[in-house]
């Protein structure tokens, strides 16, 4: 089991799957490109089966669940084989459920007060979302001085072009993005393109 999602790779692909049958070939392409941590979002009905398939058939992948917003989401995705959890935001109830899962997790924050509240609860690794809309690199840079113990995975509006500026920040462990899994490539099952885009993302370092 991984202890930190932030240290697996510089980029965590944020994946939306309409068809669970695409999960395994997509995961294999991402892993081959050098991105082992894969966040499958719970935005579609196919997500739990997709997580289950990747966990069972792609041993080199570290599959996680994104858009986790309830204790039920936590229980269902843990049962499906998720190895980490990511939420767009958090409440005490959700935080307790994620902590209780025993898995690494990244609760979402977009304000200083939310960061301080999580630090108070002993949580130092967080998702910064929606990154670009919430202030981007300037906001995270400003947080690093008063709150150096907090580390982030910014997600939301990040591209291959903007990712390096995030990764250069001392309080950013990785970024989340979907540019290496474009919807048209997934729909066309162009796994070779996904692998090439993943390799480019894996090479990004601050």
């Amino acid at each position: 089991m991984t202890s930190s999602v932030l240290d697996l790779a510089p980029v965590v692909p944020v994946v939306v799957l309409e068809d669970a049958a695409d999960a395994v070939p997509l995961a294999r392409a991402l892993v081959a490109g050098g991105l082992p941590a894969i966040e499958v979002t719970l935005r579609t009905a196919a997500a739990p089966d997709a997580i289950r398939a990747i966990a069972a058939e792609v041993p080199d992948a570290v599959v996680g669940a994104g858009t986790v917003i309830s204790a039920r989401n936590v229980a269902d995705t843990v049962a499906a084989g998720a190895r980490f959890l990511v939420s767009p935001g958090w409440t005490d109830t959700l935080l307790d459920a994620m902590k209780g899962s025993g898995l690494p997790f990244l609760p979402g924050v977009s304000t200083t007060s939310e960061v301080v509240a999580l630090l108070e609860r002993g949580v130092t690794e967080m998702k910064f979302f929606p990154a670009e809309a919430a202030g981007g690199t300037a906001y995270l840079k400003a947080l690093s001085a008063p709150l150096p113990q907090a580390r982030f995975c910014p997600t939301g509006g990040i591209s291959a072009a903007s990712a390096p500026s995030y990764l250069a920040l001392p309080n950013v462990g990785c970024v989340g993005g979907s540019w290496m899994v474009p919807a048209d490539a997934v729909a066309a099952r162009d796994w070779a393109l996904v692998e090439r885009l993943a390799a480019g993302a894996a090479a990004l370092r601050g």
Side-chain angles (χ1 to χ4, degrees):
M1 179 178 293
T2 180
S3 59
S4 172
V5 182
L6 300 184
D7 298 327
L8 288 170
V11 179
V12 176
V14 179
V15 174
V16 179
L17 284 170
E18 300 293 341
D19 186 346
D22 293 333
V24 168
L26 176 65
R28 286 177 175 153
L30 291 170
V31 170
L35 300 180
I38 302 168
E39 176 188 335
V40 177
T41 70
L42 301 182
R43 300 178 196 173
T44 66
D49 286 339
I51 292 169
R52 190 173 291 108
I54 294 170
E57 299 182 45
V58 191
D60 292 333
V62 181
V63 64
T67 323
V68 173
I69 59 171
S70 69
R72 177 65 182 269
N73 287 161
V74 173
D76 289 350
T77 52
V78 169
R83 293 170 62 185
F84 65 90
L85 306 170
V86 183
S87 70
W90 67 278
T91 64
D92 287 333
T93 299
L94 179 57
L95 190 67
D96 288 343
M98 290 194 293
K99 277 189 168 185
S101 73
L103 298 179
F105 60 92
L106 295 174
V109 297
S110 60
T111 70
T112 307
S113 293
E114 290 170 323
V115 176
V116 172
L118 284 175
L119 292 174
E120 195 175 76
R121 297 284 297 268
V123 177
T124 59
E125 298 188 345
M126 311 166 196
K127 170 179 175 172
F128 180 58
F129 176 83
E132 287 287 281
T137 54
Y139 194 99
L140 286 170
K141 187 174 183 180
L143 286 181
S144 65
L147 301 170
Q149 64 272 53
R151 295 180 72 215
F152 300 94
C153 173
T155 304
I158 297 175
S159 66
S162 63
S165 61
Y166 281 95
L167 292 167
L169 297 174
N171 55 350
V172 170
C174 63
V175 300
S178 55
W179 72 86
M180 75 299 299
V181 284
D184 53 350
V186 175
R189 295 180 169 84
D190 189 347
W191 309 129
L193 174 58
V194 170
E195 182 177 341
R196 288 197 301 275
L197 292 171
L204 294 175
R205 292 285 178 183

